[in-house]
Amino acid sequence: MTQQWSARTAGGPVNATVPVPGSKSITNRALVLAAIADAPSVLRAPLRSRDTLLMAEALRVLGARIEDGPDGSWLVQPGELRGAARVDCGLAGTVMRFLPPVAALASGEVVFDGDEQARVRPMGTVLGALRALGADVDGDALPFTLRGAGGLPGGEVVIDASASSQFVSGLLLSGARYDKGVVVVHEGEPVPSLPHIEMTVAMLREAGVEVDDSGTDRWRVEPGPVAGREWDVEPDLSNATPFLAAAAVTGGEVLVPGWPTATTQAGDAIRGILAEMGCSVELGADGLRVRGGELRGVDLDLHDVGELTPTVVALAVFASGPTVLRGIAHLRGHETDRLAALAAEVNGLGGDVEETEDGLVIRPRALSGGALSGGTLSGGTWKAYADHRMATAGAIIGLRVPGVEVDDIGTTSKTIPDFPGMWAAMLGQR
């Protein structure tokens, strides 16, 4: 069921401290590694959202035991991987791309399906790769069936991962359990979101897996054990960006506690983006503090950090000059076609966004009527397209444009358990 939501308009500069739940990317990678490890693992401060709950349940039906521990942790006990099983992927790219390589290690039939929107998301690359590595798979998109034989020969496979870095990460995460390990070679346009692959490689090494990523577009995972360990999950930096954007568009100040000083999360790039757009950005012992200033238009290549695009578009709407975003053609294959969706929704409120071959151009309308005015923008329905980042972009714009109605704020539960409550608390409007 959809959940319509009236975006809250800020009455003045936002001033708040906003603790952010754990990283989805780290949580789901840690769950996969824990499920195929040789010993139990503990995930501390994991994210509990729709995507991670789907991942945990999928691993349970495949044979892992995942239980609640003290202080919100997850205790993971590996088990014999088995079918017959049905995996619900929802709309989670990490579930639909990371779990088939795990299921190839199981004995028996595993059926994968998900939300209606998930059935059009690209899957052929990872499923074709698994066939080349020795798996028995029927279908090239959801729903599909994988018949596991209790193991996989593995070896070298050549893929085109230009649509998603998740194709590479999914194969690498399970590769140590294949008889010959796995070598993944990419051929095609540059792989987007490379920081996510770097995160995968770093976490594999933390689990004792030998990985060689010294070559360009080539990754080798040696066969061998995966160590059980304790994983400390960082705050989700990409999910923090709408709250930091609230400071930027209202001329306020927001502190996100626990921001890591070193991380593989792509969301960390928001620090440089906000600074370039005119904000004061300070990373200290208490976390990341952002103070808003006059927003400037920018020219950015977001190829490696495309997930930040909806937040940056919402900021650019209120900038003093045009913004050009490049390198993000791959966003047409995300939860929705994010480029078309962002252009349609901003323009529907009276804005000016043009879709280009590989990105967007945002031309702000002249602002008038006070520091928090939305200028010529007007309220109206903002469609979320079952996309959590589209929904949060609408919330950001609604801070300065009265009457914005997000048609389904419930889609934010994909990665943020209670976005409406967190947003209201930030604004002191709970």
Side-chain angles (χ1 to χ4, degrees):
M1 293 179 63
T2 59
Q3 180 185 347
Q4 187 163 333
W5 180 74
S6 298
R8 296 168 179 259
T9 304
V14 170
N15 193 318
T17 296
V18 183
V20 176
S23 163
K24 178 198 77 172
S25 297
I26 294 175
T27 299
N28 274 354
R29 283 165 173 77
L31 281 171
V32 169
L33 291 171
I36 62 173
D38 295 326
S41 295
V42 178
L43 277 65
R44 293 200 179 92
L47 176 66
R48 293 172 184 263
S49 69
R50 188 183 185 219
D51 276 17
T52 61
L53 294 173
L54 285 168
M55 179 66 85
E57 183 56 28
L59 291 167
R60 288 187 185 105
V61 301
L62 288 174
R65 192 170 73 212
I66 303 174
E67 300 174 339
D68 293 337
D71 303 322
S73 63
W74 261 330
L75 310 178
V76 183
Q77 174 70 52
E80 181 182 355
L81 298 174
R82 64 185 184 278
R86 298 188 65 87
V87 170
D88 178 9
C89 300
L91 194 51
T94 49
V95 179
M96 66 182 73
R97 277 101 179 235
F98 292 2
L99 260 294
V102 176
L105 296 166
S107 299
E109 184 175 280
V110 183
V111 178
F112 287 79
D113 203 355
D115 294 357
E116 182 179 353
Q117 300 94 329
R119 294 177 178 178
V120 299
R121 295 193 70 178
M123 283 294 301
T125 298
V126 71
L127 298 181
L130 287 173
R131 290 190 190 95
L133 293 171
D136 180 2
V137 187
D138 286 343
D140 289 305
L142 291 171
F144 62 86
T145 300
L146 191 152
R147 298 177 184 86
L152 200 66
E156 181 169 320
V157 64
V158 178
I159 66 172
D160 180 353
S162 57
S164 175
S165 66
Q166 291 175 348
F167 297 141
V168 177
S169 287
L171 294 166
L172 299 183
L173 283 168
S174 295
R177 288 304 197 191
Y178 299 161
D179 297 343
K180 295 181 285 187
V182 70
V183 178
V184 180
V185 179
H186 163 71
E187 291 185 354
E189 294 296 315
V191 180
S193 305
L194 280 174
H196 287 285
I197 298 178
E198 293 166 3
M199 173 187 288
T200 298
V201 170
M203 292 183 67
L204 281 164
R205 288 174 174 153
E206 290 177 51
V209 176
E210 185 176 343
V211 186
D212 180 0
D213 62 345
S214 60
T216 301
D217 292 336
R218 186 180 189 275
W219 300 266
R220 180 182 185 90
V221 174
E222 296 292 340
V226 178
R229 54 161 292 151
E230 297 181 357
W231 297 97
D232 291 311
V233 180
E234 300 170 357
D236 194 305
L237 307 188
S238 294
N239 284 343
T241 63
F243 302 96
L244 299 173
V249 302
T250 67
E253 179 178 317
V254 167
L255 171 68
V256 175
W259 197 282
T261 55
T263 182
T264 55
Q265 289 192 63
D268 191 48
I270 195 65
R271 294 192 291 135
I273 292 171
L274 288 171
E276 190 172 346
M277 295 189 80
C279 297
S280 168
V281 181
E282 298 176 6
L283 179 59
D286 55 350
L288 183 68
R289 189 181 305 274
V290 170
R291 298 182 183 90
E294 181 181 350
L295 289 171
R296 300 188 291 261
V298 289
D299 187 328
L300 298 173
D301 186 337
L302 297 181
H303 184 263
D304 283 347
V305 292
E307 64 204 64
L308 303 185
T309 300
T311 295
V312 176
V313 169
L315 291 167
V317 165
F318 302 110
S320 59
T323 289
V324 178
L325 304 180
R326 297 175 284 105
I328 47 177
H330 60 281
L331 296 188
R332 293 187 172 99
H334 277 231
E335 283 84 343
T336 187
D337 179 340
R338 281 186 178 160
L339 301 187
L342 286 163
E345 297 315 301
V346 174
N347 293 344
L349 299 181
D352 183 0
V353 177
E354 176 188 354
E355 190 174 348
T356 66
E357 183 178 349
D358 75 335
L360 298 168
V361 178
I362 303 96
R363 302 180 184 90
R365 298 295 195 184
L367 298 182
S368 61
L372 294 183
S373 169
T376 58
L377 296 181
S378 59
T381 298
W382 177 277
K383 295 179 183 177
Y385 301 85
D387 184 334
H388 56 134
R389 301 203 193 280
M390 282 297 300
T392 57
I396 296 166
I397 291 174
L399 290 169
R400 286 179 60 171
V401 179
V404 173
E405 297 281 336
V406 178
D407 72 342
D408 185 13
I409 201 66
T411 193
T412 56
S413 65
K414 173 181 170 68
T415 56
I416 306 177
D418 182 22
F419 175 79
M422 291 177 65
W423 201 250
M426 176 188 70
L427 296 173
Q429 298 177 1
R430 188 181 282 275

